[in-house]
Amino acid sequence: MEEAHFHAAFLTFESMQSQNNGVLNIDAVFVVHVKHDLERETWMQQQLDRLGIAFRWMLEADLHELSPEIIEQYFSGDEMAGAPRPAHSCALKHLFIYRTMVQENIGSALI
């Protein structure tokens, strides 16, 4: 089984645009988002459209969707003991993006 490697990077929109003459050398862009924050959604949509970056929203695992059973299923032991529920939501959204990457054979992504 091939090992997957994940790297995190923090870039401004302007630095993303200037790299590779405006072309990102990645297979996909995912935006972690909550369904009810329409102001942030509009802002992110405008920024990424302005840069010509195609992207996908990650909307699964919002706070109201996290039952104790779901948290227990994905977080066992001490890994996130005592973490606030928003941390569980954010972690699950990232996990679901990684799952999507594996299922769709996406080799690299900006999250």
Side-chain angles (χ1 to χ4, degrees):
M1 183 171 156
E2 188 175 320
E3 183 178 332
H5 298 279
F6 299 101
H7 302 279
F10 298 94
L11 303 171
T12 65
F13 289 118
E14 287 71 23
S15 69
M16 286 173 24
Q17 188 177 24
S18 67
Q19 291 180 355
N20 300 321
N21 296 320
V23 178
L24 297 173
N25 189 23
I26 55 175
D27 299 322
V29 174
F30 292 90
V31 176
V32 173
H33 183 58
V34 294
K35 294 173 192 143
H36 71 274
D37 193 344
L38 299 179
E39 185 177 326
R40 179 179 182 272
E41 178 180 329
T42 299
W43 184 83
M44 288 298 297
Q45 181 81 50
Q46 290 171 344
Q47 298 305 309
L48 293 170
D49 285 351
R50 177 175 63 87
L51 296 170
I53 298 173
F55 69 96
R56 295 163 64 175
W57 298 109
M58 172 44 67
L59 301 173
E60 293 180 68
D62 277 357
L63 279 178
H64 70 278
E65 299 170 346
L66 300 184
S67 66
E69 294 79 21
I70 290 174
I71 291 173
E72 186 176 315
Q73 176 183 354
Y74 288 97
F75 304 103
S76 61
D78 295 329
E79 17 183 72
M80 290 186 68
R85 287 177 51 91
H88 289 108
S89 174
C90 185
L92 273 177
K93 287 176 181 285
H94 281 78
L95 179 64
F96 292 164
I97 290 170
Y98 301 144
R99 176 189 66 194
T100 299
M101 290 175 68
V102 171
Q103 289 173 341
E104 297 180 16
N105 197 29
I106 298 170
S108 61
L110 176 66
I111 301 172

